[in-house]
């Protein structure tokens, strides 16, 4: 199985199940001004057979989205787009001899941006890890630690605390899909190194990462039991080592975490999905209060969440996808007391979209997007697919 197929089944974890459209909350409950909503923005061209996997924002005029595009020869090439306050514009990413795809991006400054993903080592029938760095003018490839020749590597999330303290987490797998194990790479300002993670006693992977603001890092994912049932996996870096922290799990359910964000060391949120072996999936949100991870109620919906991001006012946005509806894109807003469903853009630009990444915008401009979400129409399996970028706020034409 090719790495892209692995990622679209939940990076070795979950198959998205049948879903139904949830009722929407009022616009004000969603944390926006009257009339605000999700609106599609034009990605940089050529917008064909392209998917955006990750997004991050430093401010209203500096945001990044990364992913890949399938070229005419059937090869995935990396994509990195930058928002300059007016429009999304393409940048040129070298990849591995031009090939590769990017899953996550972390901008520390206008001259210090990291992105990670994979490239397809076709002769070896493996996928290798890929890291790219942007210095304000150009992207260049930076070596990541080499895994054994028979194991593919998929770094899929980044947590940056400073120019010399960055983490990438993900999974390694034998021959792309076998015996998945978590990976953790650390950048010390000079090189990337591999850091051991604790054994879960079986198959496991990490899919999301976030700094806790106090020198620590959270990584989340899924661990499997002997019967193949998944349970949430949360790990914390305390400055010396990674340790597993028990997370809330619903008995009899297969559950996985895809994304995590930290408001403070004692205010951390993780999102994902779960459900019975046969039946519909449901959104999953967990909260860390400094002592325990606890499940938090979400609106009833047959959906999975892939990403979560906190704003400066204690609010949260989560994004994911449903199935069985014309537009699978699914977003939730936490207003400090409860989660509310907020309809994604189902107009011509957003029709058929799924969302994989979400990022709040620090210090947004009046009327400008307060949140970005990215994805594509690929999960609908209707060629050709195209990238999707949505901003929450006024429509682009109304700004």
């Amino acid at each position: 199985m090719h790495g892209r197929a692995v990622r679209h089944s939940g990076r070795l974890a979950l198959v998205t199940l049948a879903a139904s459209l949830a009722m929407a909350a009022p616009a004000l409950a969603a944390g926006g001004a009257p009339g605000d909503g999700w609106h599609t923005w034009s990605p940089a061209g050529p917008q064909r057979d392209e998917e955006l996997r990750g997004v991050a924002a430093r401010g209203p005029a500096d945001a990044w989205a990364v992913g890949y595009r399938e070229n005419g020869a059937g090869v995935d090439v990396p994509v990195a787009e930058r928002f300059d306050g007016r429009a999304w514009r393409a940048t040129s990413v070298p990849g591995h001899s031009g090939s590769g795809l990017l899953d996550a991006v972390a901008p520390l400054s206008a001259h210090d941006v990291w992105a990670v993903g994979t490239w397809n080592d076709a002769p070896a029938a493996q996928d290798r890890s890929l890291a790219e760095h942007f210095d304000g003018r150009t992207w260049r490839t930076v070596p990541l630690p080499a895994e054994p020749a028979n194991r593919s590597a998929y770094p899929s999330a980044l947590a940056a605390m400073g120019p010399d303290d960055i983490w990438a987490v993900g999974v390694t797998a034998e021959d792309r899909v076998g015996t998945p194990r978590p990976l953790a790479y650390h950048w010390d300002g000079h090189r990337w190194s591999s850091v051991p993670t604790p054994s879960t006693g079986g198959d496991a992977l990490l899919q999301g990462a976030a700094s806790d603001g106090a020198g620590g890092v959270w990584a989340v994912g899924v661990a499997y039991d002997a019967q193949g049932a998944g349970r949430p996996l949360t790990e914390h870096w305390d400055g010396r080592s990674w340790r597993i922290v028990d997370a809330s799990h619903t008995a009899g359910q297969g559950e996985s975490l895809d994304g995590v964000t930290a408001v403070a060391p004692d205010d951390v949120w993780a999102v994902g999905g779960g459900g019975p072996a046969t039946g519909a999936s449901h959104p999953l949100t967990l909260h860390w209060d400094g002592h325990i991870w606890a499940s938090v109620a979400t609106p009833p919906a047959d959906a999975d969440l892939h990403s979560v991001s906190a704003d400066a006012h204690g609010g949260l946005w989560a994004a994911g996808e449903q199935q069985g509806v014309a537009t699978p894109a699914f977003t939730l807003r936490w207003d400090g007391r409860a989660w509310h469903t907020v309809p994604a853009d189902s107009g011509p630009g957003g029709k058929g979209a799924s969302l994989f990444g979400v990022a709040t915008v620090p210090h947004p401009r009046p009327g400008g997007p307060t949140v970005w979400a990215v994805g594509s129409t690929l999960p609908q399996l209707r060629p050709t697919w195209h990238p999707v970028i949505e901003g929450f706020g006024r429509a682009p034409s109304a700004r």
Side-chain angles (χ1 to χ4, degrees):
M1 182 183 295
H2 187 275
R4 187 174 71 242
V6 168
R7 274 178 291 275
H8 285 299
S9 63
R11 294 189 187 97
L12 306 170
L14 297 173
V15 176
T16 306
L17 302 174
S20 63
L21 186 64
M23 295 300 290
L28 285 175
D36 280 358
W38 286 107
H39 300 284
T40 302
W41 288 65
S42 295
Q47 301 183 30
R48 177 185 174 92
D49 295 344
E50 179 181 314
E51 180 168 271
L52 296 172
R53 303 288 307 178
V55 62
R58 292 185 56 250
D62 191 3
W64 288 89
V66 298
Y68 69 96
R69 180 184 305 112
E70 187 175 286
N71 67 13
V75 175
D76 292 340
V77 298
V79 168
E81 303 187 7
R82 186 176 193 177
F83 183 71
D84 62 7
R86 300 184 63 184
W88 287 90
R89 307 188 189 280
T91 63
S92 178
V93 190
H96 181 85
S97 300
S99 69
L101 76 171
L102 300 173
D103 269 315
V105 61
L108 287 85
S109 73
H111 308 286
D112 190 5
V113 183
W114 284 95
V116 296
T118 61
W119 62 276
N120 177 24
D121 184 358
Q126 304 291 342
D127 291 315
R128 309 300 185 189
S129 58
L130 177 68
E132 304 279 352
H133 182 258
F134 182 75
D135 63 8
R137 300 183 63 184
T138 59
W139 287 96
R140 67 180 180 91
T141 303
V142 180
L144 284 170
E147 300 292 340
N150 68 333
R151 292 192 71 84
S152 293
Y154 303 96
S156 58
L158 287 166
M161 292 178 284
D164 58 356
D165 193 2
I166 303 170
W167 287 91
V169 304
V171 61
T172 70
E174 185 175 349
D175 299 326
R176 290 184 169 143
V177 295
T179 60
R181 297 292 185 268
L183 71 78
Y185 300 147
H186 182 254
W187 172 259
D188 63 4
H190 302 283
R191 63 185 60 85
W192 287 96
S193 59
S194 182
V195 179
T197 60
S199 173
T200 65
D203 294 346
L205 61 151
L206 297 172
Q207 303 183 111
S211 165
D212 67 8
V217 178
W218 284 98
V220 303
V222 58
Y224 296 96
D225 62 22
Q227 289 70 46
R231 66 182 186 277
L233 173 63
T234 64
E235 299 190 8
H236 185 256
W237 171 263
D238 61 7
R240 296 182 178 180
S241 63
W242 288 97
R243 66 182 180 91
I244 295 174
V245 181
D246 289 338
S248 174
H249 173 52
T250 306
Q253 304 277 308
E255 295 179 325
S256 172
L257 297 172
D258 271 15
V260 60
T261 190
V263 181
D266 59 355
D267 190 4
V268 184
W269 291 82
V271 302
T278 57
S281 184
H282 61 259
L284 174 66
T285 64
L286 302 182
H287 180 251
W288 171 258
D289 64 2
H291 302 283
I292 62 170
W293 283 100
S295 180
V296 179
T298 59
D302 298 335
D304 293 304
L305 298 171
H306 298 314
S307 182
V308 61
S309 184
D311 64 26
H313 307 291
L316 302 165
W317 283 92
E321 60 183 326
Q322 310 173 86
Q323 286 190 345
V325 292
T327 298
F330 179 75
T331 70
L332 296 178
R333 167 72 181 176
W334 173 262
D335 64 5
R337 295 177 297 176
W339 288 102
H340 302 276
T341 306
V342 184
D345 186 355
S346 59
K351 183 178 180 181
S354 294
L355 298 176
F356 305 116
V358 66
T360 55
V361 178
H363 312 294
R365 294 170 178 168
T370 58
V371 191
W372 291 108
V374 301
S376 80
T377 62
L378 176 59
Q380 295 290 295
L381 301 178
R382 297 172 185 167
T384 61
W385 69 91
H386 63 82
V388 174
I389 299 177
E390 297 192 18
F392 187 84
R394 298 178 191 170
S397 59
R399 297 182 66 236

